[in-house]
Amino acid sequence: DAEYIVGKAVRDGVIDARVDHAKGWMESWRRGEGGRGDVYETGEPREAFQKRIGFCLDLHNESVKAMRYPLNTHRKDLATAAEAREREKELAKEIESGEHDDDDVEPDF
């Protein structure tokens, strides 16, 4: 129930407000003025929103920068992968033709 969640947030001091249970709404207050007035009459919500948006944009930009890779480094990996595929094809041909024995393989240490 939303009324219960809002009431708990008010009681815990997460938000400064008063819950009107009879009418079913919440009236938020400005901080520092003894609980009088509506917080939305000030620029405080806009400033908090701008701060949150700025944080999210900075986090996004830093994440994008962290994911950047140097140009063309993937080509080295592609070349080694192509060489590995060629070796596997040659090994498969040797096995099929019976030229390859298990004794021919040197252990990798």
Side-chain angles (χ1 to χ4, degrees):
D1 184 39
E3 189 174 354
Y4 169 76
I5 295 170
V6 171
K8 184 173 181 342
V10 170
R11 186 185 69 221
D12 292 346
V14 176
I15 55 175
D16 292 332
R18 179 180 65 86
V19 178
D20 188 343
H21 296 284
K23 296 180 182 175
W25 69 54
M26 175 195 80
E27 182 179 341
S28 56
W29 299 331
R30 279 188 251 172
R31 295 178 188 256
E33 295 188 18
R36 307 231 178 226
D38 187 7
V39 71
Y40 294 103
E41 293 175 355
T42 68
E44 185 180 340
R46 181 187 51 78
E47 292 166 5
F49 183 70
Q50 286 294 91
K51 185 177 178 181
R52 290 179 189 144
I53 293 297
F55 172 79
C56 290
L57 289 174
D58 289 342
L59 180 64
H60 173 266
N61 291 337
E62 289 174 15
S63 299
V64 169
K65 287 178 186 176
M67 292 189 299
R68 289 186 181 159
Y69 297 98
L71 295 176
N72 298 326
T73 56
H74 69 284
R75 290 187 181 174
K76 293 178 186 175
D77 295 335
L78 291 176
T80 57
E83 291 172 7
R85 279 194 298 273
E86 288 297 321
R87 285 193 302 263
E88 288 176 7
K89 286 179 185 177
E90 291 172 9
L91 183 61
K93 286 179 186 177
E94 288 177 11
I95 291 173
E96 285 178 3
S97 65
E99 297 174 10
H100 182 76
D101 293 330
D102 288 337
D103 298 335
D104 294 342
V105 178
E106 295 180 20
D108 294 331
F109 293 104

